[in-house]
Amino acid sequence: MAVMTEEEADALDELLTRTTPKVNPTVRGITARKGFKMIPVDDFSVEYITAKALATRQTPEEIVAALVRKEMAVGI
């Protein structure tokens, strides 16, 4: 997982403060931006993904993608 500088963090904070993500609650899942869907998971899964991301210096998205690819390789 990439580490942001203070300047980058401030810029991101300012951007997110000034802009509001587009959300359409009528769509299955919550579409915040094109091609992105939030999927609710239990607390244990969040803890696992977060710990794995920190330990491997990857993003949570990379961890989930790797888990999906691994599951597909095994053959569901």
Side-chain angles (χ1 to χ4, degrees), residues 1-47:
M1 186 174 345
V3 177
M4 285 193 276
T5 64
E6 283 295 319
E7 186 176 271
E8 291 170 328
D10 290 341
L12 180 60
D13 180 54
E14 186 175 328
L15 174 68
L16 294 176
T17 300
R18 286 182 292 131
T19 59
T20 304
K22 302 221 182 313
V23 177
N24 183 354
T26 62
V27 177
R28 185 165 188 232
I30 299 174
T31 306
R33 64 181 183 267
K34 187 173 177 84
F36 175 79
K37 291 191 181 197
M38 280 197 285
I39 302 169
V41 295
D42 58 79
D43 290 339
F44 177 78
S45 298
V46 171
E47 297 280 333

